[in-house]
Amino acid sequence: MATGQLNSGQLNSGPSDQADFAAAPWPAGPTGRVPFRAALAHTWYLTGRKLHALVRQPWVLAFSVVQPVIWLFLFGQLFRKVIDIPGFGYHGTYLDYLVPGLIAMNAMSNNMWAGMTMIEEIDRGTLNRFLVSPASRIAIMNATVAEQAVSTTVQSLIIVALGLAGGARYHGGAAGVAVMVAASIGVGVVFGALSNVVGMTLRSREAIIGVYTFFMLPLIFLSSAFMQTSLMPGWMQAIASRNPLNWVVQIGRSAVSAAPDWGAIGVRCGGLLVLAVACVAVSVLTFRSYSKNV
């Protein structure tokens, strides 16, 4: 629930945030649509508003990676002999195998709480105040996506550093780590956008908690985060091949390996990008529908 706390804090913008926001260029076209350059400026200032809150509460980021860190060292030690199972087919330690899975899991888990932000802003009236301003509707949603991307990046790098300290090795170097983090941002955008859709549509914290509870563990265990899919039953392998979380795990694991399969990485990244764009588009449409009914 650490992400929910962070998002609540983001609503309390300080005077400097309000001044920056007021000073931003807000020209609207004759049809009420905001020009593209103005929409970019709106996104910049609205993202800054959220990041200022993040900087004021850095401890929230630290608490958000507590669970993955526990899994990293607990599971890393508990299942370290798993790689000796015939057919596991992984060259390296189990900690090497586990880190990409935990980064993907953390990105999905934290961003699935994003809808709590929308509900908080609706309840506090913050969102409605933005709606009566000339701010771009797309910028309001893009600012949330950008803030989630920054949070996911910081959290992923913390897990990478802790994994390195624990003995994990990233043979793909900085480029491989960068690809792994970028993929985690992509899956975070997917589930963050879907969480925003749930938040704006149902406006219920219980609904978001229910969605999180229903999907979180099945998506994790129907991926190769902890176990090679080749050792799973056939029906689980079929689901895992269509699971975006598993795509991210496979992208990260291949990218930081000694011999990355860039062709497969490119295909999975392309699929993840298409899915992320589609989910963001759905969240924008849902937001526009909400704004028309206010």
Side-chain angles (χ1 to χ4, degrees):
M1 299 294 290
T3 302
Q5 296 171 352
L6 169 62
N7 291 332
S8 300
Q10 290 170 343
L11 302 174
N12 303 319
S13 301
S16 61
D17 300 326
Q18 295 170 357
D20 287 343
F21 189 80
W26 306 111
T31 63
R33 292 183 178 275
V34 177
F36 178 72
R37 290 182 63 185
L40 289 179
H42 297 183
T43 301
W44 173 264
Y45 284 102
L46 290 171
T47 301
R49 165 183 171 263
K50 291 178 175 291
L51 292 180
H52 287 162
L54 185 65
V55 170
R56 289 196 297 266
Q57 303 180 78
W59 56 270
V60 176
L61 279 178
F63 278 121
S64 68
V65 297
V66 167
Q67 186 183 50
V69 167
I70 292 174
W71 286 37
L72 179 69
F73 294 108
L74 180 63
F75 280 37
Q77 291 299 311
L78 182 63
F79 297 132
R80 68 182 186 276
K81 296 295 185 181
V82 168
I83 58 173
D84 297 331
I85 295 175
F88 195 87
Y90 183 75
H91 302 288
T93 67
Y94 186 69
L95 193 63
D96 296 343
Y97 182 86
L98 187 60
V99 169
L102 290 181
I103 287 176
M105 182 197 74
N106 178 74
M108 180 183 73
S109 173
N110 285 335
N111 283 279
M112 285 179 77
W113 295 112
M116 291 290 192
T117 304
M118 207 57 63
I119 294 174
E120 289 287 344
E121 297 210 356
I122 290 172
D123 290 346
R124 290 171 180 258
T126 309
L127 187 60
N128 291 348
R129 289 198 292 272
F130 278 123
L131 289 176
V132 298
S133 75
S136 165
R137 304 301 187 254
I138 293 178
I140 295 173
M141 296 304 298
N142 284 348
T144 299
V145 172
E147 185 272 334
Q148 291 168 354
V150 172
S151 298
T152 300
T153 300
V154 174
Q155 293 162 358
S156 298
L157 291 175
I158 291 173
I159 296 173
V160 166
L162 290 173
L164 185 64
R169 294 296 175 261
Y170 312 117
H171 302 287
V177 171
V179 170
M180 179 169 61
V181 173
S184 72
I185 293 172
V187 80
V189 169
V190 168
F191 287 100
L194 293 177
S195 180
N196 284 332
V197 170
V198 174
M200 286 183 291
T201 303
L202 302 180
R203 304 182 199 176
S204 167
R205 294 174 179 82
E206 291 76 12
I208 294 177
I209 294 171
V211 169
Y212 178 94
T213 304
F214 184 81
F215 285 104
M216 180 63 185
L217 286 180
L219 286 172
I220 289 175
F221 289 107
L222 290 171
S223 75
S224 59
F226 299 109
M227 181 63 64
Q228 290 280 38
T229 54
S230 59
L231 298 177
M232 297 179 180
W235 66 270
M236 295 181 72
Q237 293 184 34
I239 296 175
S241 67
R242 296 165 177 80
N243 181 356
L245 179 67
N246 191 49
W247 300 349
V248 176
V249 175
Q250 292 175 321
I251 290 169
R253 195 165 288 141
S254 179
V256 297
S257 69
D261 184 350
W262 293 112
I265 290 173
V267 170
R268 293 190 181 104
C269 283
L272 186 64
L273 179 61
V274 170
L275 184 60
V277 170
C279 290
V280 170
V282 171
S283 70
V284 170
L285 290 175
T286 305
F287 179 67
R288 285 178 171 171
S289 176
Y290 165 81
S291 65
K292 291 177 181 178
N293 296 322
V294 174

